Amino acid sequence: MARLHLFDLDGTLLHGTAAPVEISRQLGLDAEIAALERDFVAGHIDSPEYAVRVHALWAELTEAQVSAAFDGAPWLSGIQETWAEIREGGDYCAVVSLSPSFFVERLIGWGAHAAHGSRFPAVPFTQPVDPTGILNAAAKVKIADRLCEEFGVGRSDCVAYGDSLSDLELFGAVPVSVAINADQRLVSLATHSYVGRDLRKAYELVRHGR
């Protein structure tokens, strides 16, 4: 039976940072995004409110700046090699992230079978953000279930990779999980834990498991 590997983005594939932080850096809005991130982590705002506020923050965002943020981000090493090996073995790999879809979906070009993020309007923005398209932790499980149906696998065939509390529900829903540079509460729930900057080494922990 094939397996479905489900990867978080922020703090997992991206080392020590998040897509909104990298995007905001291109606009010189480091302090503003840091304050917004603190409010979100502290629970002062939820995912839809975060999205509305970051959308306003990025009023002048261009596609070139998104590309620069993506290309210059501190990615883990070996992402494309790991996904190529997953594909060659007959398994599936997908990214499920709370970050904006216009950033997350670029990972299709790196070999992911699917990439799902919070739905934002196209850049440059001419439309408001729709809060109903913004993902939260529970949505990750729902998307995982849809992907299972799409690829013909079950939850029992899934492996989840993540780093933070937004991955708790997904880790609790699948049998195998890998905490990558993770919050201690997630480490305590995970099947495996990896600290480092090479996805190939994290994948090695589950490579031969079925």
Side-chain angles (χ1 to χ4, degrees), residues 130-154:
D130 180 359
T132 64
I134 304 306
L135 305 185
N136 56 23
K140 286 191 170 188
V141 179
K142 294 178 182 178
I143 291 171
D145 285 340
R146 291 207 305 268
L147 290 170
C148 283
E149 184 175 353
E150 179 181 344
F151 296 128
V153 301

Side-chain angles (χ1 to χ4, degrees), residues 20-38 57:
V21 174
E22 296 305 306
I23 293 167
S24 298
R25 184 168 292 136
Q26 295 297 319
L27 293 162
L29 298 170
D30 302 60
E32 290 84 350
I33 193 65
L36 194 54
E37 288 278 317
R38 285 194 298 271
L57 199 62

Side-chain angles (χ1 to χ4, degrees), residues 76-86 88 110 200 203:
L76 291 190
S77 300
I79 294 174
Q80 296 182 61
E81 293 86 349
T82 298
W83 291 351
E85 184 172 341
I86 287 172
E88 288 165 5
W110 283 15
R200 290 164 291 198
Y203 173 61

Side-chain angles (χ1 to χ4, degrees), residues 195-206:
V195 177
R197 299 192 64 165
D198 192 329
L199 188 62
R200 290 164 291 198
K201 294 181 180 179
Y203 173 61
E204 188 66 30
L205 298 172
V206 297

